[in-house]
PDB file of all heavy atoms in Angstrom:
ATOM      1  N   ASN E   1     -32.247 344.717 -11.534  1.00 98.00           N
ATOM      2  CA  ASN E   1     -32.360 343.650 -10.544  1.00 98.00           C
ATOM      3  C   ASN E   1     -32.693 342.305 -11.189  1.00 98.00           C
ATOM      4  O   ASN E   1     -32.977 341.338 -10.508  1.00 98.00           O
ATOM      5  CB  ASN E   1     -33.442 343.998  -9.500  1.00 98.00           C
ATOM      6  CG  ASN E   1     -33.375 343.123  -8.269  1.00 98.00           C
ATOM      7  OD1 ASN E   1     -32.307 342.653  -7.880  1.00 98.00           O
ATOM      8  ND2 ASN E   1     -34.526 342.869  -7.654  1.00 98.00           N
ATOM      9  N   THR E   2     -32.664 342.265 -12.526  1.00 98.00           N
ATOM     10  CA  THR E   2     -32.984 341.035 -13.258  1.00 98.00           C
ATOM     11  C   THR E   2     -31.718 340.237 -13.535  1.00 98.00           C
ATOM     12  O   THR E   2     -30.752 340.755 -14.095  1.00 98.00           O
ATOM     13  CB  THR E   2     -33.695 341.365 -14.591  1.00 98.00           C
ATOM     14  OG1 THR E   2     -34.939 341.990 -14.305  1.00 98.00           O
ATOM     15  CG2 THR E   2     -33.936 340.104 -15.407  1.00 98.00           C
ATOM     16  N   GLU E   3     -31.747 338.978 -13.140  1.00 98.00           N
ATOM     17  CA  GLU E   3     -30.606 338.075 -13.336  1.00 98.00           C
ATOM     18  C   GLU E   3     -30.696 337.349 -14.676  1.00 98.00           C
ATOM     19  O   GLU E   3     -29.681 337.145 -15.353  1.00 98.00           O
ATOM     20  CB  GLU E   3     -30.609 337.051 -12.193  1.00 98.00           C
ATOM     21  CG  GLU E   3     -29.488 336.054 -12.192  1.00 98.00           C
ATOM     22  CD  GLU E   3     -29.512 335.230 -10.912  1.00 98.00           C
ATOM     23  OE1 GLU E   3     -30.350 334.299 -10.806  1.00 98.00           O
ATOM     24  OE2 GLU E   3     -28.718 335.545  -9.997  1.00 98.00           O
ATOM     25  N   ARG E   4     -31.901 336.961 -15.071  1.00 98.00           N
ATOM     26  CA  ARG E   4     -32.114 336.250 -16.332  1.00 98.00           C
ATOM     27  C   ARG E   4     -33.469 336.652 -16.917  1.00 98.00           C
ATOM     28  O   ARG E   4     -34.440 336.778 -16.178  1.00 98.00           O
ATOM     29  CB  ARG E   4     -32.080 334.732 -16.113  1.00 98.00           C
ATOM     30  CG  ARG E   4     -32.424 333.869 -17.338  1.00 98.00           C
ATOM     31  CD  ARG E   4     -31.449 334.053 -18.476  1.00 98.00           C
ATOM     32  NE  ARG E   4     -30.132 333.515 -18.210  1.00 98.00           N
ATOM     33  CZ  ARG E   4     -29.688 332.329 -18.633  1.00 98.00           C
ATOM     34  NH1 ARG E   4     -30.469 331.570 -19.366  1.00 98.00           N
ATOM     35  NH2 ARG E   4     -28.475 331.926 -18.339  1.00 98.00           N
ATOM     36  N   ILE E   5     -33.475 336.868 -18.233  1.00 98.00           N
ATOM     37  CA  ILE E   5     -34.723 337.095 -18.946  1.00 98.00           C
ATOM     38  C   ILE E   5     -35.030 335.841 -19.754  1.00 98.00           C
ATOM     39  O   ILE E   5     -34.202 335.397 -20.557  1.00 98.00           O
ATOM     40  CB  ILE E   5     -34.643 338.319 -19.890  1.00 98.00           C
ATOM     41  CG1 ILE E   5     -34.352 339.589 -19.083  1.00 98.00           C
ATOM     42  CG2 ILE E   5     -35.945 338.477 -20.676  1.00 98.00           C
ATOM     43  CD1 ILE E   5     -34.087 340.823 -19.941  1.00 98.00           C
ATOM     44  N   SER E   6     -36.203 335.262 -19.496  1.00 98.00           N
ATOM     45  CA  SER E   6     -36.644 334.072 -20.222  1.00 98.00           C
ATOM     46  C   SER E   6     -37.800 334.432 -21.142  1.00 98.00           C
ATOM     47  O   SER E   6     -38.549 335.376 -20.876  1.00 98.00           O
ATOM     48  CB  SER E   6     -37.128 332.983 -19.253  1.00 98.00           C
ATOM     49  OG  SER E   6     -36.102 332.523 -18.409  1.00 98.00           O
ATOM     50  N   LEU E   7     -37.954 333.684 -22.205  1.00 98.00           N
ATOM     51  CA  LEU E   7     -39.220 333.657 -22.914  1.00 98.00           C
ATOM     52  C   LEU E   7     -40.150 332.728 -22.156  1.00 98.00           C
ATOM     53  O   LEU E   7     -39.722 331.972 -21.272  1.00 98.00           O
ATOM     54  CB  LEU E   7     -39.020 333.153 -24.345  1.00 98.00           C
ATOM     55  CG  LEU E   7     -38.133 334.013 -25.244  1.00 98.00           C
ATOM     56  CD1 LEU E   7     -38.027 333.404 -26.634  1.00 98.00           C
ATOM     57  CD2 LEU E   7     -38.651 335.440 -25.324  1.00 98.00           C
ATOM     58  N   VAL E   8     -41.437 332.766 -22.459  1.00 98.00           N
ATOM     59  CA  VAL E   8     -42.362 331.862 -21.769  1.00 98.00           C
ATOM     60  C   VAL E   8     -41.907 330.422 -21.955  1.00 98.00           C
ATOM     61  O   VAL E   8     -41.977 329.605 -21.029  1.00 98.00           O
ATOM     62  CB  VAL E   8     -43.808 332.063 -22.267  1.00 98.00           C
ATOM     63  CG1 VAL E   8     -44.760 331.071 -21.595  1.00 98.00           C
ATOM     64  CG2 VAL E   8     -44.278 333.493 -22.008  1.00 98.00           C
ATOM     65  N   SER E   9     -41.411 330.106 -23.152  1.00 98.00           N
ATOM     66  CA  SER E   9     -40.965 328.733 -23.424  1.00 98.00           C
ATOM     67  C   SER E   9     -39.782 328.338 -22.540  1.00 98.00           C
ATOM     68  O   SER E   9     -39.798 327.280 -21.901  1.00 98.00           O
ATOM     69  CB  SER E   9     -40.601 328.575 -24.904  1.00 98.00           C
ATOM     70  OG  SER E   9     -39.620 329.523 -25.286  1.00 98.00           O
ATOM     71  N   SER E  10     -38.743 329.171 -22.482  1.00 98.00           N
ATOM     72  CA  SER E  10     -37.563 328.801 -21.684  1.00 98.00           C
ATOM     73  C   SER E  10     -37.851 328.911 -20.182  1.00 98.00           C
ATOM     74  O   SER E  10     -37.250 328.196 -19.375  1.00 98.00           O
ATOM     75  CB  SER E  10     -36.357 329.658 -22.073  1.00 98.00           C
ATOM     76  OG  SER E  10     -36.607 331.038 -21.894  1.00 98.00           O
ATOM     77  N   PHE E  11     -38.777 329.797 -19.796  1.00 98.00           N
ATOM     78  CA  PHE E  11     -39.239 329.847 -18.411  1.00 98.00           C
ATOM     79  C   PHE E  11     -39.872 328.518 -18.023  1.00 98.00           C
ATOM     80  O   PHE E  11     -39.581 327.944 -16.968  1.00 98.00           O
ATOM     81  CB  PHE E  11     -40.240 330.995 -18.250  1.00 98.00           C
ATOM     82  CG  PHE E  11     -41.183 330.852 -17.088  1.00 98.00           C
ATOM     83  CD1 PHE E  11     -40.756 331.118 -15.796  1.00 98.00           C
ATOM     84  CD2 PHE E  11     -42.501 330.448 -17.287  1.00 98.00           C
ATOM     85  CE1 PHE E  11     -41.633 330.984 -14.715  1.00 98.00           C
ATOM     86  CE2 PHE E  11     -43.372 330.319 -16.230  1.00 98.00           C
ATOM     87  CZ  PHE E  11     -42.947 330.580 -14.938  1.00 98.00           C
ATOM     88  N   ALA E  12     -40.766 328.007 -18.879  1.00 98.00           N
ATOM     89  CA  ALA E  12     -41.429 326.731 -18.590  1.00 98.00           C
ATOM     90  C   ALA E  12     -40.412 325.601 -18.500  1.00 98.00           C
ATOM     91  O   ALA E  12     -40.477 324.746 -17.607  1.00 98.00           O
ATOM     92  CB  ALA E  12     -42.469 326.433 -19.663  1.00 98.00           C
ATOM     93  N   ALA E  13     -39.435 325.602 -19.416  1.00 98.00           N
ATOM     94  CA  ALA E  13     -38.389 324.576 -19.374  1.00 98.00           C
ATOM     95  C   ALA E  13     -37.596 324.660 -18.077  1.00 98.00           C
ATOM     96  O   ALA E  13     -37.176 323.641 -17.518  1.00 98.00           O
ATOM     97  CB  ALA E  13     -37.465 324.730 -20.579  1.00 98.00           C
ATOM     98  N   SER E  14     -37.393 325.882 -17.568  1.00 98.00           N
ATOM     99  CA  SER E  14     -36.637 326.064 -16.324  1.00 98.00           C
ATOM    100  C   SER E  14     -37.336 325.398 -15.143  1.00 98.00           C
ATOM    101  O   SER E  14     -36.673 324.894 -14.226  1.00 98.00           O
ATOM    102  CB  SER E  14     -36.462 327.562 -16.041  1.00 98.00           C
ATOM    103  OG  SER E  14     -35.776 328.213 -17.090  1.00 98.00           O
ATOM    104  N   LEU E  15     -38.667 325.385 -15.154  1.00 98.00           N
ATOM    105  CA  LEU E  15     -39.413 324.741 -14.071  1.00 98.00           C
ATOM    106  C   LEU E  15     -39.153 323.242 -14.045  1.00 98.00           C
ATOM    107  O   LEU E  15     -39.182 322.617 -12.981  1.00 98.00           O
ATOM    108  CB  LEU E  15     -40.911 325.021 -14.216  1.00 98.00           C
ATOM    109  CG  LEU E  15     -41.342 326.491 -14.193  1.00 98.00           C
ATOM    110  CD1 LEU E  15     -42.853 326.610 -14.294  1.00 98.00           C
ATOM    111  CD2 LEU E  15     -40.817 327.212 -12.949  1.00 98.00           C
ATOM    112  N   PHE E  16     -38.936 322.642 -15.203  1.00 98.00           N
ATOM    113  CA  PHE E  16     -38.637 321.208 -15.264  1.00 98.00           C
ATOM    114  C   PHE E  16     -37.170 320.935 -14.983  1.00 98.00           C
ATOM    115  O   PHE E  16     -36.816 319.924 -14.381  1.00 98.00           O
ATOM    116  CB  PHE E  16     -38.991 320.664 -16.654  1.00 98.00           C
ATOM    117  CG  PHE E  16     -40.463 320.538 -16.906  1.00 98.00           C
ATOM    118  CD1 PHE E  16     -41.147 321.531 -17.595  1.00 98.00           C
ATOM    119  CD2 PHE E  16     -41.170 319.432 -16.457  1.00 98.00           C
ATOM    120  CE1 PHE E  16     -42.509 321.419 -17.823  1.00 98.00           C
ATOM    121  CE2 PHE E  16     -42.527 319.312 -16.679  1.00 98.00           C
ATOM    122  CZ  PHE E  16     -43.204 320.303 -17.361  1.00 98.00           C
ATOM    123  N   LEU E  17     -36.305 321.835 -15.412  1.00 98.00           N
ATOM    124  CA  LEU E  17     -34.868 321.623 -15.328  1.00 98.00           C
ATOM    125  C   LEU E  17     -34.314 321.918 -13.933  1.00 98.00           C
ATOM    126  O   LEU E  17     -33.292 321.361 -13.531  1.00 98.00           O
ATOM    127  CB  LEU E  17     -34.190 322.523 -16.364  1.00 98.00           C
ATOM    128  CG  LEU E  17     -32.789 322.200 -16.826  1.00 98.00           C
ATOM    129  CD1 LEU E  17     -32.742 320.829 -17.492  1.00 98.00           C
ATOM    130  CD2 LEU E  17     -32.326 323.273 -17.828  1.00 98.00           C
ATOM    131  N   GLY E  18     -34.998 322.839 -13.198  1.00 98.00           N
ATOM    132  CA  GLY E  18     -34.458 323.264 -11.916  1.00 98.00           C
ATOM    133  C   GLY E  18     -33.241 324.152 -12.093  1.00 98.00           C
ATOM    134  O   GLY E  18     -32.358 324.225 -11.233  1.00 98.00           O
ATOM    135  N   ASP E  19     -33.197 324.860 -13.191  1.00 98.00           N
ATOM    136  CA  ASP E  19     -32.098 325.776 -13.507  1.00 98.00           C
ATOM    137  C   ASP E  19     -32.571 326.629 -14.677  1.00 98.00           C
ATOM    138  O   ASP E  19     -33.557 326.294 -15.337  1.00 98.00           O
ATOM    139  CB  ASP E  19     -30.839 324.996 -13.888  1.00 98.00           C
ATOM    140  CG  ASP E  19     -29.563 325.844 -13.828  1.00 98.00           C
ATOM    141  OD1 ASP E  19     -29.669 327.058 -13.540  1.00 98.00           O
ATOM    142  OD2 ASP E  19     -28.484 325.290 -14.080  1.00 98.00           O
ATOM    143  N   TYR E  20     -31.860 327.711 -14.949  1.00 98.00           N
ATOM    144  CA  TYR E  20     -32.251 328.524 -16.090  1.00 98.00           C
ATOM    145  C   TYR E  20     -32.055 327.730 -17.387  1.00 98.00           C
ATOM    146  O   TYR E  20     -30.953 327.240 -17.663  1.00 98.00           O
ATOM    147  CB  TYR E  20     -31.437 329.807 -16.148  1.00 98.00           C
ATOM    148  CG  TYR E  20     -31.727 330.776 -15.030  1.00 98.00           C
ATOM    149  CD1 TYR E  20     -30.732 331.621 -14.548  1.00 98.00           C
ATOM    150  CD2 TYR E  20     -32.995 330.855 -14.449  1.00 98.00           C
ATOM    151  CE1 TYR E  20     -30.985 332.526 -13.519  1.00 98.00           C
ATOM    152  CE2 TYR E  20     -33.252 331.748 -13.424  1.00 98.00           C
ATOM    153  CZ  TYR E  20     -32.254 332.577 -12.961  1.00 98.00           C
ATOM    154  OH  TYR E  20     -32.508 333.467 -11.948  1.00 98.00           O
ATOM    155  N   ALA E  21     -33.107 327.630 -18.163  1.00 98.00           N
ATOM    156  CA  ALA E  21     -33.045 326.933 -19.444  1.00 98.00           C
ATOM    157  C   ALA E  21     -32.700 327.932 -20.548  1.00 98.00           C
ATOM    158  O   ALA E  21     -33.116 329.093 -20.495  1.00 98.00           O
ATOM    159  CB  ALA E  21     -34.378 326.256 -19.747  1.00 98.00           C
ATOM    160  N   PRO E  22     -31.968 327.506 -21.553  1.00 98.00           N
ATOM    161  CA  PRO E  22     -31.632 328.417 -22.657  1.00 98.00           C
ATOM    162  C   PRO E  22     -32.836 328.683 -23.557  1.00 98.00           C
ATOM    163  O   PRO E  22     -33.774 327.888 -23.636  1.00 98.00           O
ATOM    164  CB  PRO E  22     -30.542 327.653 -23.413  1.00 98.00           C
ATOM    165  CG  PRO E  22     -30.822 326.208 -23.117  1.00 98.00           C
ATOM    166  CD  PRO E  22     -31.364 326.174 -21.717  1.00 98.00           C
ATOM    167  N   ILE E  23     -32.792 329.818 -24.215  1.00 98.00           N
ATOM    168  CA  ILE E  23     -33.779 330.143 -25.254  1.00 98.00           C
ATOM    169  C   ILE E  23     -33.401 329.375 -26.511  1.00 98.00           C
ATOM    170  O   ILE E  23     -32.231 329.298 -26.878  1.00 98.00           O
ATOM    171  CB  ILE E  23     -33.776 331.663 -25.522  1.00 98.00           C
ATOM    172  CG1 ILE E  23     -34.330 332.416 -24.306  1.00 98.00           C
ATOM    173  CG2 ILE E  23     -34.574 332.008 -26.780  1.00 98.00           C
ATOM    174  CD1 ILE E  23     -34.171 333.920 -24.378  1.00 98.00           C
ATOM    175  N   ASP E  24     -34.391 328.776 -27.165  1.00 98.00           N
ATOM    176  CA  ASP E  24     -34.079 328.024 -28.379  1.00 98.00           C
ATOM    177  C   ASP E  24     -34.085 328.952 -29.595  1.00 98.00           C
ATOM    178  O   ASP E  24     -34.656 330.046 -29.563  1.00 98.00           O
ATOM    179  CB  ASP E  24     -35.089 326.877 -28.575  1.00 98.00           C
ATOM    180  CG  ASP E  24     -36.309 327.315 -29.339  1.00 98.00           C
ATOM    181  OD1 ASP E  24     -37.095 328.106 -28.770  1.00 98.00           O
ATOM    182  OD2 ASP E  24     -36.478 326.915 -30.496  1.00 98.00           O
ATOM    183  N   HIS E  25     -33.475 328.507 -30.664  1.00 97.00           N
ATOM    184  CA  HIS E  25     -33.340 329.334 -31.860  1.00 97.00           C
ATOM    185  C   HIS E  25     -34.684 329.741 -32.455  1.00 97.00           C
ATOM    186  O   HIS E  25     -34.868 330.888 -32.871  1.00 97.00           O
ATOM    187  CB  HIS E  25     -32.528 328.595 -32.933  1.00 97.00           C
ATOM    188  CG  HIS E  25     -31.096 328.403 -32.577  1.00 97.00           C
ATOM    189  ND1 HIS E  25     -30.293 327.442 -33.161  1.00 97.00           N
ATOM    190  CD2 HIS E  25     -30.296 329.058 -31.692  1.00 97.00           C
ATOM    191  CE1 HIS E  25     -29.073 327.509 -32.661  1.00 97.00           C
ATOM    192  NE2 HIS E  25     -29.052 328.472 -31.758  1.00 97.00           N
ATOM    193  N   SER E  26     -35.642 328.807 -32.512  1.00 96.00           N
ATOM    194  CA  SER E  26     -36.893 329.123 -33.210  1.00 96.00           C
ATOM    195  C   SER E  26     -37.697 330.179 -32.467  1.00 96.00           C
ATOM    196  O   SER E  26     -38.244 331.094 -33.079  1.00 96.00           O
ATOM    197  CB  SER E  26     -37.729 327.853 -33.413  1.00 96.00           C
ATOM    198  OG  SER E  26     -38.251 327.372 -32.200  1.00 96.00           O
ATOM    199  N   ASP E  27     -37.771 330.087 -31.145  1.00 96.00           N
ATOM    200  CA  ASP E  27     -38.488 331.107 -30.376  1.00 96.00           C
ATOM    201  C   ASP E  27     -37.659 332.381 -30.278  1.00 96.00           C
ATOM    202  O   ASP E  27     -38.186 333.492 -30.267  1.00 96.00           O
ATOM    203  CB  ASP E  27     -38.826 330.575 -28.976  1.00 96.00           C
ATOM    204  CG  ASP E  27     -40.118 331.173 -28.427  1.00 96.00           C
ATOM    205  OD1 ASP E  27     -40.807 331.904 -29.162  1.00 96.00           O
ATOM    206  OD2 ASP E  27     -40.449 330.894 -27.259  1.00 96.00           O
TER     207      ASP E  27
END
């Protein structure tokens, strides 16, 4: 039932973006 798995970092970015944010290379 999961549509997207975020890291804490990309989850936080999603709150600012208003959309799913990508995971960055370093994390």
Side-chain angles (χ1 to χ4, degrees):
N1 194 30
T2 296
E3 182 172 78
R4 174 62 69 99
I5 299 173
S6 297
L7 297 180
V8 177
S9 56
S10 59
F11 157 77
S14 301
L15 300 182
F16 287 97
L17 200 61
D19 197 357
Y20 292 149
I23 292 171
D24 88 291
H25 292 159
S26 70
D27 211 6

